[in-house]
Amino acid sequence: VQLQASGGGLVQAGASLRLSCAASGRSFSIYDMGWFRQAPGKEREFVAATRTSGGSQYYADSVKGRFSISRDNAKNTLYLQMNSLKPEDTAVYYCAAMWVRGISNYAVNYWGKGTLVTVSS
């Protein structure tokens, strides 16, 4: 499956952004899907994930209550609604086709190209 993230940009602290991840190739709906991010000089980290049907979701503590992950299997698209953005959310955000059963229990099958989110203070 090929993945392409979009929707990043430069925003001020407190603003909102919605990222999208368009999937093509093998069936999108058979994969759990997730978002990761990598800030400058830091390792890539888990942000959020959703199971195949969208019924179970997992969030990193740093984004819980501010970010919301969703998917539209009919459109082969994954979303990340990001509210109340903070400067520390600045990173390249990547979507991934994966297997997930917890915020520390997952395996990534495919990575998408990232989209840059910059939050100014």
Side-chain angles (χ1 to χ4, degrees):
V1 62
Q2 291 78 45
L3 305 171
Q4 178 66 59
S6 62
L10 172 63
V11 297
Q12 291 189 331
S16 297
L17 274 178
R18 188 176 80 156
L19 304 183
S20 298
C21 175
S24 59
R26 291 191 63 185
S27 180
F28 172 79
S29 63
I30 70 173
Y31 292 100
D32 300 335
M33 295 293 298
W35 290 96
F36 293 75
R37 67 186 182 187
Q38 186 166 19
K42 295 188 177 181
E43 294 186 351
R44 192 172 299 188
E45 64 175 1
F46 173 88
V47 174
T50 180
R51 298 283 298 276
T52 54
S53 66
S56 294
Q57 299 170 352
Y58 309 87
Y59 294 95
D61 288 344
S62 58
V63 306
K64 196 175 295 182
R66 298 188 298 122
F67 291 11
S68 178
I69 189 171
S70 61
R71 64 190 296 165
D72 186 334
N73 287 342
K75 295 183 178 179
N76 287 356
T77 304
L78 176 74
Y79 302 100
L80 185 68
Q81 178 66 44
M82 305 185 296
N83 299 327
S84 303
L85 282 161
K86 304 176 181 180
E88 51 264 44
D89 294 318
T90 295
V92 177
Y93 283 72
Y94 299 88
C95 55
M98 61 195 291
W99 174 94
V100 63
R101 294 299 182 267
I103 64 172
S104 300
N105 186 14
Y106 60 82
V108 174
N109 299 101
Y110 300 97
W111 290 104
K113 294 182 179 180
T115 185
L116 176 62
V117 173
T118 304
V119 185
S120 63
S121 57

